[in-house]
Amino acid sequence: MRNALIVGISDYKVAKNPQVLATYALGSCVGICLYDAGSGVGGLSHIMLPDSAQFARQEINRMKFADTALADLVAEMEKMGAQRRRIKAKIAGGARMFQVQEGSSIGSIGERNVASVKHALGVLRIPVLAEDTGSNYGRTVFFSLETGIMRVQALSREVREY
């Protein structure tokens, strides 16, 4: 989509209607679309890892982790006029991108990312209205702040709108 505001890996952006936010290459990563229809304020986060706990003593990129990125994204949205009680979520990604040996935890990073995102949203009391997660393929997300629609595209698959 032309003129979309691009969200990179371990990044997030906040904008207002009529902006479109986009993120590419969601494999095991999760894209989280947050939207307050009342204010037209929305945000898109592209998280890479479930939580920051093991990195607590280090300087970290807070946008990389579900637990820190979502709290920060909501705070930024509130600064732009969103009200937390009206914010709703839609999520995509969390795929199992690699075949790994039985018992390895690396193959489950997508599942762990999805679970962590849902937990963080639960702590923030933000309901998940739609999700396109799991399976074994990457996704691209376009999020319209005019309509609140999350458009999910994947190679050789139908475009889905939520």
Side-chain angles (χ1 to χ4, degrees), residues 2-52:
R2 286 188 6 211
N3 302 323
L5 187 59
I6 306 302
V7 177
I9 298 170
S10 300
D11 188 17
Y12 65 70
K13 298 276 190 300
V14 177
K16 281 191 152 192
N17 175 11
Q19 186 68 57
V20 173
L21 302 171
T23 194
Y24 301 93
L26 288 169
S28 59
C29 295
V30 177
I32 305 96
C33 302
L34 299 182
Y35 187 58
D36 171 6
S39 66
V41 173
L44 176 58
S45 176
H46 183 138
I47 65 100
M48 188 173 155
L49 294 171
D51 68 76
S52 62

Side-chain angles (χ1 to χ4, degrees), residues 66-80:
D67 62 330
T68 49
L70 294 178
D72 293 353
L73 178 58
V74 168
E76 290 295 320
M77 288 176 63
E78 289 174 328
K79 286 179 189 173
M80 288 187 67

Side-chain angles (χ1 to χ4, degrees), residues 34-43 77 81-88 143 145:
L34 299 182
Y35 187 58
D36 171 6
S39 66
V41 173
M77 288 176 63
Q83 292 184 21
R84 187 175 308 200
R85 64 181 172 78
R86 294 188 309 219
I87 297 174
K88 309 289 188 253
F143 184 44
L145 300 184

Side-chain angles (χ1 to χ4, degrees), residues 3 36 69 80 90 93 131 135 146 158:
N3 302 323
D36 171 6
M80 288 187 67
K90 297 177 182 181
E131 71 177 281
S135 200
E146 185 172 9
E158 278 188 40

